[in-house]
Amino acid sequence: MSGDDIFQLFGFLLPAVVTGAVAFYFFRLHTRNEDGRRRFLLHKDAQKDTLPIRLQAYERMVLFLERIAINSLVVRVAPKGKSKGDYENLLIKQVETEFEHNLSQQIYMSEECWNIIKAAKNATIQIIRSAGMSETDSPDKLREDILNQTMEKQSPSATALAYVKKEVGELW
């Protein structure tokens, strides 16, 4: 083979290699696009099925936060005896029972949202306990002390509720 023959061979091979490279590039681009489209469609179908369940979980957590809000909790749960300690324990038990009833909802929401809800629950219990440490001796006075503590600042439930609403707004 002479130099001219090799040069002529490269002349024939170069367009074939360029055409093959361009075809490979467009085929790869098309394949990636199709994979992305399939993933999008699968995600869209899955979201269509899971979105109502997730919204229902958020609704239940909103109901939980409303039920443990200090104002509604103290009004809804009346003292059953004359002991301040019994009433304090009853309020805390109500909050814990409500929380345990809704534990499974955490799988449908973000970890940050769940942590904020748990913090609201714990802060509510802390408010009840700190009011229980006061010098009062009757359950009715304890109710009053608990309500007075929450009048000055925003309820932990209200803060968590605002976050839940924000997160639900991001689902759309």
Side-chain angles (χ1 to χ4, degrees), residues 17-32:
V17 169
V18 169
T19 304
V22 168
F24 176 75
Y25 171 75
F26 281 118
F27 180 73
R28 199 168 106 206
L29 188 67
H30 174 70
T31 304
R32 282 185 184 168

Side-chain angles (χ1 to χ4, degrees), residues 97-110:
T97 303
E98 288 284 338
F99 183 73
E100 288 170 5
H101 182 70
N102 291 296
L103 269 175
S104 64
Q105 304 310 311
Q106 66 183 299
I107 63 173
Y108 299 110
M109 53 188 59
S110 72

Side-chain angles (χ1 to χ4, degrees), residues 47-82:
Q47 190 173 12
K48 184 172 58 172
D49 294 337
T50 60
L51 186 62
I53 295 170
R54 287 186 74 194
L55 287 174
Q56 188 178 37
Y58 283 109
E59 288 172 358
R60 287 188 59 175
M61 294 319 296
V62 165
L63 181 62
F64 164 73
L65 290 169
E66 289 292 337
R67 289 181 61 84
I68 69 162
I70 296 292
N71 297 345
S72 67
L73 180 68
V74 171
V75 170
R76 190 179 73 253
V77 180
K80 294 185 179 181
K82 302 260 187 220

Side-chain angles (χ1 to χ4, degrees), residues 27 44 69 71 90 98 106 113 116 123 134 136 151 166:
F27 180 73
K44 184 179 172 185
N71 297 345
L90 178 64
E98 288 284 338
Q106 66 183 299
C113 184
I116 288 173
S134 66
T136 61
M151 293 293 183
K166 181 182 134 257

